[in-house]
Amino acid sequence: MTKKHILVLPGDGIGPEVTAQAVRVLQAVGDFRFGYANLGGIAFDEEGDPYPKSTRAAAHKADAILLGAVGGLKWEPLDISVRPEKGLLGIRKDLELFANLRPAVVFEELAAASSLKPEIVAGLNIMIVRELTGDVYFGEPRGIHTNKDGSRTGINTMIYHDWEVQRVARVAFNLARKRGRKVCSIDKANVLVSTEMWRQEVQKLRDTEYPDIELSHMYVDNAAMQLVRNPKQFDVMLTGNIFGDILSDEASMLTGSLGMLPSASLGSGDTGKCAALYEPIHGSAPDIAGKGVANPIATILSVAMMLRYSFDNAAAADKVEQAVKKVLAKGLRTRDIMQEGCTAIGTVAMGDAILNALEGK
Ligand code: NAD
């Protein structure tokens, strides 16, 4: 059997530090072929483009992609068209990665790190499915126009096509079938017609193809409240791009640490291009880059998602997740999740500890 090919895009800031530990974990649980390429600020510095042609070609051929993070102060003065974030949006759009999966899971050992009471978040396990390639972020017309009278108008367009809603809703329903069989679809159908259509399409798909799934609909403002009032009511939350951007960050705070949360961005694979990119939800953390203190767990849990969704290897994914739990239970912590009575360790030592746990040590 040919080895699966994983393209690693370490990116900027702490990206190279955390992806290095995740690669060690992948090497411990499977036999993969790794390739490396530039994305983000480093790609601009070395190749003059945040998503260079060489990276694009490598991305199209890979079976799965592991990304660290992009961005940093150094590149902020650049024109928006070549900023590191453009590389990220570029690769998502190019590969048509339309479904962003963000689990918000609270490890028992870290329940006290949440800003909410431990009893509200202990045992929390939500999956947020955010549409990633449509909505106001990509809708046309867009831009800032100067009018004849000298006043200015800024425009973005909230737009969804029925097929875009259907394909991401299908991802949410399929995931729900492997979890609690509940989907809550988030919209603002009372005032935004594009989301009124969203609601109709999601309901239609559920009625025709997923009658076994319990579907509810909720306005986004209420969802933002419910997430902090009673987050455990949710199983899978399905949402559009802009609502998902905000709600998934809110959900991440329920768990107490950015350094713990993985994500997956999935496409259909129908186009023949790579259909999945995995990355931690945090950024490049320039404030701690190069210091060896970054938490690699979000990236390591991202490769657990890779094993589960791209390589259909739930057993290996479970093993990695259990190894992380074991290390937390031992009281080992990076600085960002440090608690009284625990032992502070750095990025590489956390990687070592997880590898030891994988080997049953
Ligand atoms: P950030 O997520 O990089 O950092 C926020 C805070 O969390 C910082 O104090 C940082 O030290 C801490 N932190 C983040 N990840 C950590 C980890 N693994 N271990 C320990 N601590 C961690 O967000 P920011 O500071 O707003 O952004 C920094 C840069 O990252 C910006 O250029 C931004 O555009 C970029 N960014 C990139 C992505 C991405 O690549 N997907 C996402 C968000 C932000």
Side-chain angles (χ1 to χ4, degrees), residues 12 14 18 39 67-76 84-85 88 92 102 249 257-260 263 279-289 293-299 334-337 347:
D12 308 316
I14 60 169
V18 293
L39 189 82
L67 168 65
V70 302
L73 279 177
K74 175 181 171 192
W75 298 284
E76 272 175 19
E85 293 73 15
L88 196 57
R92 286 174 179 163
R102 275 210 199 180
D249 267 18
S257 173
L258 277 176
M260 295 294 299
S263 77
E279 58 181 318
I281 70 155
H282 59 72
S284 59
D287 52 331
I288 56 166
V293 296
N295 186 350
I297 295 180
T299 317
T334 44
R335 216 164 68 167
D336 56 312
I337 51 171
T347 312

Side-chain angles (χ1 to χ4, degrees), residues 4 65 90 116 142 154 161-162 192 224 232 238 269 280 283 293 313 338 352:
K4 293 288 184 194
I65 298 171
L116 298 189
R142 59 194 282 130
H161 302 291
D162 54 2
L192 297 171
K232 282 191 249 178
L238 166 66
V293 296
N313 191 344
M338 188 58 190
D352 291 344

Side-chain angles (χ1 to χ4, degrees), residues 191-243:
V191 284
L192 297 171
V193 289
S194 79
T195 74
E196 187 184 337
M197 189 208 65
W198 172 286
R199 181 178 287 222
Q200 291 163 356
E201 290 300 323
V202 173
Q203 187 66 51
K204 205 160 51 182
L205 188 69
R206 182 263 170 204
D207 294 346
T208 51
E209 292 182 34
Y210 298 91
D212 53 315
I213 303 294
E214 185 187 323
L215 172 67
S216 58
H217 303 274
M218 194 180 276
Y219 296 140
V220 62
D221 40 349
N222 187 22
M225 278 196 303
Q226 295 300 330
L227 264 179
V228 286
R229 195 184 71 84
N230 176 20
K232 282 191 249 178
Q233 70 185 282
F234 298 112
D235 176 21
V236 175
M237 292 178 93
L238 166 66
T239 152
N241 205 346
I242 188 162
F243 298 157

Side-chain angles (χ1 to χ4, degrees), residues 123-146:
L124 182 76
N125 187 344
I126 306 177
M127 177 67 85
I128 298 189
V129 179
R130 165 187 169 195
E131 201 288 331
L132 205 58
T133 51
D135 209 345
V136 284
Y137 295 162
F138 297 97
E140 297 285 348
R142 59 194 282 130
I144 300 174
H145 304 289
T146 303

Side-chain angles (χ1 to χ4, degrees), residues 74-332:
K74 175 181 171 192
W75 298 284
E76 272 175 19
L78 290 177
D79 184 77
I80 195 162
S81 62
V82 287
R83 273 199 214 138
E85 293 73 15
K86 196 77 188 171
L88 196 57
L89 290 179
I91 192 168
R92 286 174 179 163
K93 189 79 185 165
D94 177 36
L95 300 178
E96 293 175 60
L97 304 173
F98 60 82
N100 185 230
L101 275 49
R102 275 210 199 180
V105 173
V106 173
F107 289 91
E108 221 173 292
E109 295 78 8
L110 299 180
S114 172
S115 50
L116 298 189
K117 295 188 193 113
E119 62 268 27
I120 294 191
V121 294
L124 182 76
N125 187 344
I126 306 177
M127 177 67 85
I128 298 189
V129 179
R130 165 187 169 195
E131 201 288 331
L132 205 58
T133 51
D135 209 345
V136 284
Y137 295 162
F138 297 97
E140 297 285 348
R142 59 194 282 130
I144 300 174
H145 304 289
T146 303
N147 305 309
K148 281 190 184 127
D149 63 1
S151 63
R152 297 199 309 152
T153 305
I155 302 173
N156 286 99
T157 303
M158 182 173 255
I159 177 166
Y160 266 119
H161 302 291
D162 54 2
W163 53 270
E164 286 179 300
V165 180
Q166 290 155 12
R167 67 181 182 178
V168 72
R170 202 165 263 123
V171 171
F173 287 134
N174 287 335
L175 277 169
R177 275 193 174 147
K178 294 184 186 155
R179 300 170 45 100
R181 291 185 178 258
K182 268 170 56 178
V183 172
C184 181
S185 173
I186 312 298
D187 59 48
K188 188 74 182 165
N190 48 343
V191 284
L192 297 171
V193 289
S194 79
T195 74
E196 187 184 337
M197 189 208 65
W198 172 286
R199 181 178 287 222
Q200 291 163 356
E201 290 300 323
V202 173
Q203 187 66 51
K204 205 160 51 182
L205 188 69
R206 182 263 170 204
D207 294 346
T208 51
E209 292 182 34
Y210 298 91
D212 53 315
I213 303 294
E214 185 187 323
L215 172 67
S216 58
H217 303 274
M218 194 180 276
Y219 296 140
V220 62
D221 40 349
N222 187 22
M225 278 196 303
Q226 295 300 330
L227 264 179
V228 286
R229 195 184 71 84
N230 176 20
K232 282 191 249 178
Q233 70 185 282
F234 298 112
D235 176 21
V236 175
M237 292 178 93
L238 166 66
T239 152
N241 205 346
I242 188 162
F243 298 157
D245 192 356
I246 298 160
L247 292 178
S248 56
D249 267 18
E250 184 187 356
S252 71
M253 280 322 293
L254 300 177
T255 71
S257 173
L258 277 176
M260 295 294 299
L261 294 173
S263 77
S265 300
L266 308 180
S268 62
D270 295 347
T271 50
K273 298 174 190 168
C274 177
L277 181 146
Y278 299 85
E279 58 181 318
I281 70 155
H282 59 72
S284 59
D287 52 331
I288 56 166
K291 296 186 179 158
V293 296
N295 186 350
I297 295 180
T299 317
I300 289 170
L301 292 174
S302 300
V303 301
M305 290 186 86
M306 179 189 288
L307 292 163
R308 196 180 298 283
Y309 298 119
S310 280
F311 302 139
D312 224 4
N313 191 344
D318 288 345
K319 240 176 107 176
V320 173
E321 287 162 359
Q322 287 308 320
V324 169
K325 267 183 199 271
K326 197 167 158 188
V327 168
L328 293 175
K330 276 188 183 163
L332 300 175

